[in-house]
């Protein structure tokens, strides 16, 4: 099995997930939390973290580096469907013990996913004041 560094060096400039916008290179690969083109955030890393959207909530996926030779056991996924603070705390605590350098990126991505799924509160009707209130 080849090392993650070698795979990254070979594929970093030429793979299907590269996107270039206004001269900046991004990567859309699975497991890349910030979409930056760097080995630290890459999904090719043996220990990568991914936060993605589910129907309700977010899915936290961790890869198991020692189980990479058995695809059925190579990753662990957990669906997080509680309130926003509970989801963020669980993502933070899980990622802190696994990849502390990706903690902030994982929490930010989970927050954006969970907050985007919340239904907005309906706006209140404005009550007329002044002359409009007297005439109504």
């Amino acid at each position: 099995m080849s090392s993650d560094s070698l795979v990254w060096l070979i594929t970093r400039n030429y793979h299907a997930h590269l996107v270039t916008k206004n001269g900046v290179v991004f990567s859309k690969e699975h497991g890349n939390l910030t979409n930056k083109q760097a080995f630290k955030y890459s999904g090719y890393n043996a220990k990568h973290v991914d936060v993605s959207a589910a129907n309700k909530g977010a899915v936290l996926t961790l890869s198991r580096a020692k189980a990479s030779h058995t695809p059925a056991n190579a990753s662990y996924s957990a669906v997080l469907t509680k309130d926003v603070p509970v989801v963020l705390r669980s993502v933070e605590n899980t990622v802190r013990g696994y990849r502390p350098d990706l903690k902030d990126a994982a929490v930010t991505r989970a927050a954006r996913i969970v907050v985007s799924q919340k239904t907005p509160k309906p706006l209140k009707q404005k009550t007329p004041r002044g002359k409009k209130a007297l005439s109504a």
Side-chain angles (χ1 to χ4, degrees), residues 29-33 48-52 59-63 106 109:
E29 64 196 6
H30 175 75
N32 192 334
L33 291 173
H48 69 269
V49 177
D50 187 32
V51 180
S52 57
V59 178
L60 176 66
T61 305
L62 304 173
S63 67
R109 188 168 183 120

Side-chain angles (χ1 to χ4, degrees), residues 12-123:
R12 70 178 171 180
N13 294 328
Y14 307 102
H15 61 84
H17 304 291
L18 284 179
V19 177
T20 303
K21 290 186 181 180
N22 298 330
V24 180
V25 181
F26 296 104
S27 180
K28 298 189 308 183
E29 64 196 6
H30 175 75
N32 192 334
L33 291 173
T34 60
N35 294 335
K36 291 181 181 176
Q37 174 67 2
F39 180 66
K40 173 182 175 180
Y41 301 110
S42 174
Y44 296 128
N45 202 332
K47 291 177 73 175
H48 69 269
V49 177
D50 187 32
V51 180
S52 57
N55 289 337
K56 293 182 179 179
V59 178
L60 176 66
T61 305
L62 304 173
S63 67
R64 294 179 178 152
K66 292 183 180 180
S68 62
H69 61 281
T70 56
N73 299 329
S75 66
Y76 167 76
S77 296
V79 180
L80 308 169
T81 58
K82 301 284 184 184
D83 295 337
V84 177
V86 176
V87 169
L88 298 183
R89 195 174 322 117
S90 63
V91 167
E92 182 179 1
N93 290 339
T94 304
V95 175
R96 182 188 300 141
Y98 188 69
R99 286 276 307 264
D101 57 329
L102 296 180
K103 179 181 64 102
D104 294 335
V107 169
T108 303
R109 188 168 183 120
R112 290 186 178 181
I113 288 172
V114 175
V115 168
S116 71
Q117 293 176 346
K118 290 179 70 173
T119 56
K121 292 182 181 179
L123 297 175

